[in-house]
Every structure is written in structure tokens, then in C-alpha cells.
Amino acid sequence: MRRSSAETKAVILAAARERFAADGYDKATIRAIAADARIDPAMVMRYFGTKEKLFAAAAEFDLELPALAPDQAGAGLVRHFLRKWEADEGLQVLLRTGVTNEAAAERMRTIFAGQVMPLVVDLTGDPERAPVRASLIASQVLGLALSRYILKFPPMVAATEEELIAWLSPTVQRYLTE
Amino acid sequence: MRRSSAETKAVILAAARERFAADGYDKATIRAIAADARIDPAMVMRYFGTKEKLFAAAAEFDLELPALAPDQAGAGLVRHFLRKWEADEGLQVLLRTGVTNEAAAERMRTIFAGQVMPLVVDLTGDPERAPVRASLIASQVLGLALSRYILKFPPMVAATEEELIAWLSPTVQRYLTE
DNA sequence: GTAGGAAGTCAACAGTCGTTGGCCTACAAT
DNA sequence: ATTGTAGGCCAACGACTGTTGACTTCCTAC
């Protein structure tokens, strides 16, 4: 088949995101990604140069944290993260990969420091303890994703969005305000 | 050098635990493990048959959850898990591996269902909601380990054991009792 | 209509991996 | 002194990986 350069690049990127999210960095083969995109592996190299650069492109994403009223920030954050995890493969890519790949771990730290922490500073007006608060929130939100989407603990998978929000909101709210 | 069969097996197993904990399943090469143990890769195969069996032996471990008074279970659990993470490499092996290896994920689910859930049933006397409670506790404890030992978020690494216990205990306690 | 470049294919490279089988070597029992 | 055996080493296998370069095919601009 014959496609435009931009189209092909997009198709490869979509396939790469899926594979990285499902299998992690090492198991997501360039050959497998190329097969998903119905394309020769050499095309992946032509368009992205190297596997690492392809990964960097696939792992690019924005948390898009919304502005929140301080007294409802707990519930708002939990809801927002739950939807992000299900809608955007970027987060699963990073979580699956950050555990065994230092570059991906560094990117998670950057996203945390650049997006979560500023929001917490803004919500609490307490720059000194904001880093601890933010990392506690991250620990609970990441733990949720880990047990629900990666390890698939049955009770976590079975729970509805509303149930999880009800359980986790007070935790996040307390990490913000106590 | 010349060792007894049991000695060599133990040396290999120790090296394997370190490598699996540090690198995860795929990056922990049999050749690298053998080099750490100052031994030929063929010996690993002779003693453990296959890489998967070696991993199964290296990932064997017991949470050793203590009996706890219900009103102090939150603090007790957090303290116990924090020390387990630092003392026993088995947990890091499973966490690093369970994210990209389905067999290891299955083992984490088994440990969760066989060790954490019974304790929660015992503490709460509420068999119906125990699964949700237990998995919520697991999510927070795993999130703690992930952000502190794997992703190494700076504020989490810098926090002392007592600070973390103070922050997380109310969360776990609430997941148990509310 | 033809030249040029872009899209795509193919085969091979060098390296690494788990795994295997044959070989060597030290030691204990005879 | 000889033999049996168990611990250990070496070299190689087949499979798979990221990556490369030459080749073909098609569309477009002149």
C-alpha cells in the first residue's frame, strides 16, 4: 500500500504505543510493532531513527491536570487520574516501562516534579511540605493503577469508578490538607 | 574452585535474587547471574534447569504478616511492610518483574489473596467487604514501594520511616475500619 | 515522457540470549 | 594405583534482536 509520510508515521506511533503499553520496553519488538502497523521493520527505523527515539515519541503525553477547588481536590484528582489511565495509553506505557528502564523512570520523576508538584503547591499554598504531599498522592494514585490495570487484583478490577473515588478521595484530600 | 552442590546452588540463588531485584526478569541475564556467582552459565542450568525455574526459586518468599491489635493495625502494617521491602529482596523481585511478566503478576495475586486478604478478614470480621479493603491497602503499600524504591521520587526517598508511618497509617486504618 | 525523489521491500549484519553436550579435573573409595 | 563420580568449564547451537544498505516501485514535476 502507499501512504503519505505523515500517515505512516502516525500508524507506527499508534502501534508502538499499544505494544509498549501492553508489553513494556524490551518485549515490545520493533518487528512486532512493524507487523501491527503492516509495514516493514526498516520503515520504523527510517521514520524514528532508533528504538529509543520511537519510545520517547510514544511516551510523550500530558497529565492535563485541571484547576480544582481546594475542598474538592481529592475527589477531583482521583476521578481525573482514573479517566486518564483508561483513555491515554501514555501513562500505562510509562508505568510498564519505568519499572525496568531508568530513562522512563526519569521521565516519570520529571512529570511528577513538573506537573503534580506545582498543582499541590498551588492548592495548599505550602511550598515547604508540598513535595511530600505530592509524592504521597502520587504513591496512592500509582498504587491504584498498578493494582487495577497492571497486576489486576480482582477486587480492584471489579470496583466501579464511583466506588474507587469514594474510597480514595479522603486519602488524597488528607495528603493535601493535613 | 571446588564447592559442594548445596553451596553452589545457594550462591547462584543469592546472585539471581539480586539481579532479578535490580534489573527485572528480562534484563537479568543468566550469563550476568553466573558472572556474579563466579561460575559458568552452564552450572545455572544444571542446578535449576531453566531460567523460569530459577526465577520461581528466587521469587519465593513469605510476607510474614504479624498478628496485630485492630486499633493499631494501620501503623503496624505500614511499619512491617516498610521493613520487609528493605530487608527481603523477594518483594522487589516480584514488583520489578510482575509489571511485565504475567507469571510474576499471578504470583503477586496469589500472595495477596493468600496472605493479605485472610489477615484483613481476621482483623475486620467482615468477609464480604474484606477483598476491597485488602486490595485498597495493597494499592497504597505497593504505591509506596513503587515511588520510594523503584521510581525513587526524591521526597519519598528522603522521608524517614517514622514520617511515612505517620502519613500512611491513618490511610490503611481507614481502609480497614471505615 | 522522463528524471527525481519519496515510499516501501528484502536480505543480511553483528550481537546477545537461553540452552546443550562433550570434555576436563579433583576427590573418595576401592 | 585405579576407577567412579560429581563439580566445573568450554564451545557451540539456533533463535531473536536492533540496525543497515541496496534494491524496487510508484507518484509527481518538469
Side-chain angles (χ1 to χ4, degrees):
Chain A
M1 200 190 293
R2 194 80 180 201
R3 286 174 285 208
S4 82
S5 169
E7 274 173 346
T8 306
K9 202 168 175 179
V11 171
I12 294 174
L13 198 57
R17 250 195 270 268
E18 270 188 49
R19 280 283 177 178
F20 280 132
D23 300 339
Y25 187 82
D26 292 303
K27 288 188 176 175
T29 313
I30 292 228
R31 283 173 165 86
I33 294 170
D36 287 356
R38 279 177 232 273
I39 237 175
D40 192 272
M43 298 304 297
V44 179
M45 308 307 295
R46 199 205 276 304
Y47 285 116
F48 290 91
T50 201
K51 187 183 181 182
E52 279 197 35
K53 289 182 190 168
L54 172 63
F55 173 75
E60 199 113 29
F61 88 116
D62 186 350
L63 276 182
E64 298 176 301
L65 289 169
L68 292 164
D71 60 330
Q72 293 169 358
L77 278 174
V78 176
R79 175 177 285 110
H80 182 263
F81 270 107
L82 271 170
R83 298 194 172 157
K84 255 293 174 196
W85 282 108
E86 293 184 5
D88 191 336
E89 273 164 332
L91 265 174
Q92 294 212 30
V93 170
L94 276 179
L95 186 48
R96 271 251 161 67
T97 306
V99 172
T100 44
N101 185 302
E102 176 52 25
E106 173 62 24
R107 167 131 1 159
M108 292 217 75
R109 285 191 291 270
T110 304
I111 290 173
F112 164 74
Q115 300 187 41
V116 181
M117 214 155 78
L119 178 73
V120 174
V121 173
D122 197 47
L123 280 169
T124 63
D126 172 12
E128 194 191 343
R129 302 221 290 168
V132 187
R133 297 181 187 281
S135 62
L136 286 163
I137 293 171
S139 81
Q140 176 61 94
V141 170
L142 288 174
L144 163 67
L146 185 67
S147 51
R148 182 172 163 96
Y149 301 112
I150 309 285
L151 300 179
K152 299 190 200 290
F153 286 160
M156 274 306 207
V157 176
T160 66
E161 182 183 299
E162 287 309 317
E163 283 168 351
L164 290 172
I165 292 173
W167 276 109
L168 294 190
S169 294
T171 298
V172 174
Q173 191 71 35
R174 188 171 63 79
Y175 291 157
L176 274 175
T177 61
E178 185 169 301
Chain B
M1 198 190 295
R2 194 80 179 204
R3 284 174 286 205
S4 81
S5 168
E7 275 174 345
T8 307
K9 201 168 176 179
V11 171
I12 295 173
L13 198 57
R17 250 195 270 268
E18 270 189 48
R19 281 283 177 178
F20 280 131
D23 300 340
Y25 187 82
D26 292 301
K27 287 188 177 175
T29 312
I30 292 229
R31 283 173 164 88
I33 293 170
D36 287 355
R38 280 176 233 275
I39 239 176
D40 191 272
M43 298 303 297
V44 179
M45 309 307 295
R46 200 205 277 303
Y47 285 115
F48 291 91
T50 201
K51 186 181 182 182
E52 278 196 34
K53 289 181 191 168
L54 172 64
F55 172 75
E60 199 113 27
F61 89 116
D62 186 350
L63 275 182
E64 298 176 301
L65 289 170
L68 292 164
D71 60 332
Q72 292 168 359
L77 278 174
V78 175
R79 175 177 287 110
H80 182 264
F81 270 107
L82 271 170
R83 296 192 175 160
K84 255 294 175 196
W85 282 107
E86 294 184 4
D88 191 336
E89 273 163 332
L91 265 174
Q92 293 212 30
V93 170
L94 276 178
L95 185 48
R96 270 251 162 68
T97 307
V99 172
T100 44
N101 185 303
E102 176 51 26
E106 174 60 25
R107 164 120 17 148
M108 293 216 75
R109 284 192 291 268
T110 303
I111 290 173
F112 164 74
Q115 300 186 40
V116 182
M117 217 154 78
L119 177 74
V120 175
V121 172
D122 196 48
L123 280 170
T124 62
D126 172 12
E128 194 191 343
R129 301 221 290 169
V132 187
R133 296 180 188 281
S135 62
L136 285 163
I137 293 171
S139 82
Q140 176 61 93
V141 170
L142 288 174
L144 163 67
L146 184 67
S147 52
R148 182 172 163 96
Y149 301 113
I150 309 285
L151 299 178
K152 298 190 200 293
F153 286 160
M156 274 305 210
V157 176
T160 67
E161 182 184 299
E162 288 309 317
E163 285 168 350
L164 290 173
I165 293 173
W167 276 109
L168 294 191
S169 295
T171 298
V172 175
Q173 191 71 34
R174 188 170 64 79
Y175 291 158
L176 274 174
T177 59
E178 185 170 302

